[in-house]
Amino acid sequence: MLLFLTGPAALAQSQRAAPVLVPDVSQRTVEIRFSFTGAELLLFGAILYPGGRLPDEPADIIVVLKGPSQAITMREKQKIAGIWVNADSLDFRSAPSFYAVASSRPIDKLVDERTAAIYELGLSKLQLSPSSVSDTTEIDRFARGLGDLKGRNGLYLEEPGAVEITDGVLYRARLPLSARVVTGTYTAETFLVQNGRVLAAATREIEVRKTGFERLIGQFAQDHDVAYGLVAIALALSMGLFAGFVAGRIAVA
């Protein structure tokens, strides 16, 4: 009976002894207007240790900012007879539209491959869910291509050493938000790591939304997609005809 009672008590004591993260972000809402050129988010917070006592070995922090998942098709181009054409392709069902990770030290120095894969810590550890059954080499090739494409557009990035920890308790990291981001709910995840283990994790949400005229256009396109497409085609034709008219007048003059 004594063992039965002390077991849950020991478990409760172990849970109480775990450190706690108190994270926050500089902006809970990011508004996209016509002049939006991107933003910089500050992810910060505190580490609360049991009894207020710092551990003998310092802990590390990893922060991950992730956008809404989306399906994407990656196509590989090949040059045939001097012409670039689409060759192989691969569909990913759940690629994050935006992904940024920052850490107090390089991630491979903090956790092993298995832990990094479980928590998706790093671009190479993203669970992209390929829709077709392909060999690992082919999937890795297309995944690297996706990372390179998104990286060139500022949508995928890794920032080792970008997390600053002060007095072993306070932390902060600045991550850029590209002007190409999509709207939706973003998650800012914080992980406390020590001796290769994730001791604590916490999440905050950030809403990215359009405002003003851009929001009205986006809502109209969503609610009346056919009409929006016809209007867009009509505007494109009108602009083309107007440009041709102006060019003809200039040539005559």
Side-chain angles (χ1 to χ4, degrees), residues 19-23 43-49 58-64 101-107 110-111 121 159-166 168-173 189-194 197-202:
V20 176
L21 285 170
V22 184
L43 284 66
F44 62 95
I47 310 168
L48 303 183
Y49 290 102
D60 288 278
I61 289 288
I62 303 173
V63 294
V64 176
V101 57
S103 52
S104 51
R105 290 190 291 153
I107 293 177
L110 302 181
V111 294
L121 303 177
E159 299 285 349
V163 177
E164 300 177 14
I165 302 178
T166 304
V169 175
L170 303 176
Y171 69 88
R172 65 176 184 175
E189 301 172 288
T190 305
F191 301 93
L192 178 67
V193 180
Q194 187 181 50
R197 295 174 53 240
V198 175
L199 300 183

Side-chain angles (χ1 to χ4, degrees), residues 176-217:
L177 200 62
S178 170
R180 297 173 178 265
V181 294
V182 301
T183 57
T185 301
Y186 288 59
T187 57
E189 301 172 288
T190 305
F191 301 93
L192 178 67
V193 180
Q194 187 181 50
N195 296 325
R197 295 174 53 240
V198 175
L199 300 183
T203 303
R204 289 291 182 269
E205 291 187 347
I206 302 168
E207 195 69 25
V208 177
R209 64 189 184 189
K210 293 182 179 179
T211 59
F213 181 72
E214 289 76 18
R215 180 177 179 275
L216 293 176
I217 293 297

Side-chain angles (χ1 to χ4, degrees), residues 62-70 94-103 107 115-128 146-147 150-159 175-178 180-182 186-189 191:
I62 303 173
V63 294
V64 176
L65 181 60
K66 189 183 298 184
S69 295
Q70 56 186 193
S94 61
S97 56
F98 179 87
Y99 180 90
V101 57
S103 52
I107 293 177
T115 302
I118 291 174
Y119 295 98
E120 294 186 277
L121 303 177
L123 293 175
S124 62
K125 300 301 183 291
L126 291 178
Q127 306 298 320
L128 301 174
L146 174 64
K150 294 280 192 178
R152 282 187 275 118
N153 290 324
L155 297 173
Y156 280 10
L157 64 149
E158 294 179 308
E159 299 285 349
L175 290 175
L177 200 62
S178 170
R180 297 173 178 265
V181 294
V182 301
Y186 288 59
T187 57
E189 301 172 288
F191 301 93

Side-chain angles (χ1 to χ4, degrees), residues 2 15 24 36 67 69 71 81 86-88 91 108 117 121 163 196 209 212 218 227:
L2 180 61
Q15 291 176 340
D24 208 346
F36 182 73
S69 295
N86 290 328
D88 295 336
D91 296 327
D108 59 357
L121 303 177
V163 177
R209 64 189 184 189

